[in-house]
Amino acid sequence: MGKVVLGRVDERLIHGQVMITLSQKDGVNSIFVVDDVVYNETFMKDLYKSAGNRTGKKTIVLNEQRAFYYWDKYKFKDYNCILVAKSIDVFYKLIKHGVEVCELNVGGIAKKDENDLLVTKSVYLNKEDAKKLKELREDYKIDNIYFQATPSAPKSSLDEVLKNFDLNHLSSLKLRKDKKW
């Protein structure tokens, strides 16, 4: 049975020195990219496979449904992977489906609308994604959820980030707009 050594949320998916450094993590022998758009565009799929293969690790590109199937049927075979997706929602669905992830790194999410809050230098988060991360930790025992853009950057804990949101009173959202990065 394979395993997800590291889950990473990054809208850029595989890029530069970040993935080269992360791919050296102990036990990693592959990179799984889970993205419906990339999976369905041959050029993009080949591009990401090529970029991932430059790390020396086998790179597999799946859409969400194929990732569910590959987990259900094969438990990711003998692949100890870094699983990369563009959104927290993809990880939320994968983990709720049963894919086991012990460590989740949120590395880069751009601002999408006025409800997104800058919570670290490279991550914008909305209340829904904050709630999903909290649920993953509390209900699915993903204890190691942190925010870190690059391996050399400082980490921010999930608790630090959740302080930006009032999740005890879900009807209100407490924003810290004065925060300067």
Side-chain angles (χ1 to χ4, degrees):
M1 179 173 131
K3 68 179 180 177
V4 178
V5 175
L6 173 67
R8 178 162 168 96
V9 178
D10 192 327
E11 290 182 345
R12 299 169 293 174
L13 297 173
I14 297 174
H15 61 92
Q17 292 300 313
V18 171
M19 193 51 63
I20 289 172
T21 303
L22 291 176
S23 69
Q24 303 309 311
K25 193 168 179 66
D26 195 34
V28 170
N29 62 12
S30 57
I31 299 168
F32 284 23
V33 174
V34 179
D35 188 81
D36 290 351
V37 173
V38 171
Y39 179 81
N40 289 315
E41 293 182 15
T42 303
F43 174 75
M44 293 301 294
K45 188 175 184 177
D46 290 344
L47 184 67
Y48 278 105
K49 284 172 125 178
S50 174
N53 289 338
R54 281 190 295 236
T55 67
K57 310 298 180 191
K58 173 125 175 114
T59 302
I60 298 171
V61 177
L62 304 164
N63 64 17
E64 288 179 33
Q65 290 304 312
R66 294 291 302 167
F68 294 152
Y69 173 82
Y70 202 61
W71 177 258
D72 291 342
K73 179 111 173 140
Y74 304 108
K75 298 291 187 247
F76 292 170
K77 294 188 178 179
D78 292 326
Y79 293 115
N80 296 325
C81 69
I82 295 174
L83 194 149
V84 185
K86 290 181 180 177
S87 72
I88 290 166
D89 188 58
V90 170
F91 274 98
Y92 182 76
K93 290 187 264 186
L94 289 168
I95 291 166
K96 283 190 75 158
H97 184 81
V99 175
E100 297 171 14
V101 177
C102 297
E103 181 178 347
L104 182 58
N105 169 301
V106 182
I109 302 175
K111 184 173 185 173
K112 311 241 180 350
D113 65 41
E114 68 279 350
N115 295 320
D116 293 345
L117 174 66
L118 184 65
V119 295
T120 70
K121 288 183 181 182
S122 62
V123 175
Y124 280 88
L125 206 61
N126 61 42
K127 183 171 74 172
E128 287 304 309
D129 283 342
K131 286 170 31 181
K132 287 175 184 175
L133 290 171
K134 185 178 182 207
E135 181 182 338
L136 290 177
R137 181 177 65 189
E138 292 175 358
D139 297 347
Y140 294 89
K141 306 303 180 220
I142 314 297
D143 293 326
N144 194 6
I145 300 174
Y146 59 93
F147 297 74
Q148 185 179 35
T150 64
S152 61
K155 289 182 182 181
S156 296
S157 72
L158 179 58
D159 286 332
E160 290 174 67
V161 168
L162 291 179
K163 288 177 184 175
N164 292 286
F165 302 91
D166 183 3
L167 296 181
N168 295 324
H169 300 68
L170 296 179
S171 62
S172 65
L173 174 65
K174 179 175 67 179
L175 301 177
R176 291 172 45 190
K177 293 182 179 183
D178 58 335
K179 190 175 244 183
K180 302 245 188 295
W181 297 104

